[in-house]
Amino acid sequence: MSDERHLVVDRIKCDGRGLCAEILPELIRLDDWGYPILKPGPIPEHLRPLAERAIDDCPVLAIAMRRAEKRS
Amino acid sequence: MSNSVLWYATRGAGAVTLILLTAVVVLGILTALRVEGRGWPRFLVTGLHRNLALMTLVFLALHIVTAVVDPYTNLGWASALIPFSSYYRTFWLGLGVISFELLLAIVVTSLLRGYLGHNTWRVIHWLTYAAWPIGVIHGLGTGTDAWSAWMLAITGGCIAAVVIALLWRLAAGSRDPLSSERSTFRAAVDRREAR
Ligand code: SF4
């Protein structure tokens, strides 16, 4: 699929508030210090709206969606 | 008859705008305080903050449009957009226009936050602390109902809510927002070294 997307976190910007994990626990859990750990792999279609919400709600704009790079 | 309907609409929408805007400001401060609890996740606060902000603009638009089209006031569109250009209560209406335009800037930049970057957005968002009091003063200065008991109660309640939230934030603000995370991290490092 050409439209696959992944979540990425900017580890420098992220200040570990964990809002994203509250919204999207299916793909994001938090480590012991409140920083996100992303589930690898593309974002399932039905979670796309929640992923967008998580991105919008991050207080420091540290999380984003990227189109999957083509791997050969 | 229809004239006074418009006038009532202006006043009602103005009062609703004040209440909504106050709720938005208080929720915004709560976001910064990271208030959370069981059954009250933080995304609820951010979601409410955003949706109420959009609703505030709707009522504010209603407030302005009904005031302008009201033939009795005969304000004209220019006085709704250019501060201090209205012949009618120049100063107080001008404050309202400024507050409206600040709010518009805040909402538009928030919607474009992803393009502006976090720091620019944040600086502009501080304008809230100007827009809200200017709006309150506009209401006290020119509100037809400003000194009626119920409107005074609303205005007083709004001011009290924001002041309490602000004091709470200032009391909590000097703390390092990541202090607990940092100390758990430090503790974890110490534990490792002790091993
Ligand atoms: S919401 Fe943003 S700052 Fe908070 S943990 Fe997620 S990515 Fe980091």
Side-chain angles (χ1 to χ4, degrees), chain A residues 6-69:
Chain A
H6 293 246
L7 283 173
V8 287
V9 169
D10 183 331
R11 305 252 163 227
I12 295 175
K13 275 196 208 156
C14 170
D15 75 11
R17 307 199 199 182
L19 260 175
C20 51
E22 268 185 7
I23 295 168
L24 192 60
E26 293 89 340
L27 299 182
I28 306 171
R29 59 195 184 84
L30 298 178
D31 67 15
D32 289 349
W33 299 277
Y35 287 86
I37 302 172
L38 305 180
K39 190 175 167 200
I43 303 168
E45 201 54 46
H46 68 285
L47 293 178
R48 187 70 79 75
L50 280 176
E52 270 155 19
R53 175 97 195 269
I55 290 163
D56 284 345
D57 273 16
C58 171
V60 292
L61 289 171
I63 188 163
M65 238 192 271
R66 293 261 184 282
R67 206 165 249 133
E69 296 123 47

Side-chain angles (χ1 to χ4, degrees), chain B residues 72-141:
Chain B
Y72 172 74
T73 52
N74 194 19
L75 285 170
W77 289 104
S79 58
L81 299 173
I82 307 166
F84 307 115
S85 68
S86 135
Y87 72 93
Y88 170 79
R89 295 185 181 170
T90 309
F91 178 69
W92 300 117
L93 278 197
L95 288 183
V97 173
I98 289 179
S99 179
F100 159 62
E101 286 173 353
L102 287 177
L103 287 177
L104 202 60
I106 292 162
V107 170
V108 169
T109 51
S110 291
L111 295 175
L112 299 175
R113 192 171 71 123
Y115 300 96
L116 286 172
H118 179 63
N119 290 332
T120 318
W121 166 81
R122 198 187 149 87
V123 167
I124 296 173
H125 224 69
W126 274 91
L127 288 176
T128 315
Y129 288 111
W132 182 82
I134 294 176
V136 170
I137 296 169
H138 156 80
L140 283 175

Side-chain angles (χ1 to χ4, degrees), chain B residues 1-156:
Chain B
M1 173 61 201
S2 69
N3 296 355
S4 55
V5 169
L6 281 174
W7 192 230
Y8 281 120
T10 305
R11 285 148 64 185
V16 174
T17 305
L18 174 64
I19 296 171
L20 284 175
L21 182 59
T22 301
V24 173
V25 170
V26 169
L27 285 169
I29 296 172
L30 289 187
T31 325
L33 279 165
R34 305 177 194 193
V35 176
E36 68 186 307
R38 229 182 271 181
W40 182 255
R42 283 172 303 169
F43 67 77
L44 207 71
V45 181
T46 51
L48 256 182
H49 175 67
R50 177 186 337 214
N51 291 332
L52 284 184
L54 294 174
M55 229 161 86
T56 306
L57 269 201
V58 172
F59 275 91
L60 188 49
L62 193 68
H63 174 64
I64 294 168
V65 169
T66 50
V68 170
V69 299
D70 188 339
Y72 172 74
T73 52
N74 194 19
L75 285 170
W77 289 104
S79 58
L81 299 173
I82 307 166
F84 307 115
S85 68
S86 135
Y87 72 93
Y88 170 79
R89 295 185 181 170
T90 309
F91 178 69
W92 300 117
L93 278 197
L95 288 183
V97 173
I98 289 179
S99 179
F100 159 62
E101 286 173 353
L102 287 177
L103 287 177
L104 202 60
I106 292 162
V107 170
V108 169
T109 51
S110 291
L111 295 175
L112 299 175
R113 192 171 71 123
Y115 300 96
L116 286 172
H118 179 63
N119 290 332
T120 318
W121 166 81
R122 198 187 149 87
V123 167
I124 296 173
H125 224 69
W126 274 91
L127 288 176
T128 315
Y129 288 111
W132 182 82
I134 294 176
V136 170
I137 296 169
H138 156 80
L140 283 175
T142 192
T144 308
D145 312 297
W147 305 106
S148 66
W150 59 272
M151 193 61 212
L152 268 185
I154 291 177
T155 310

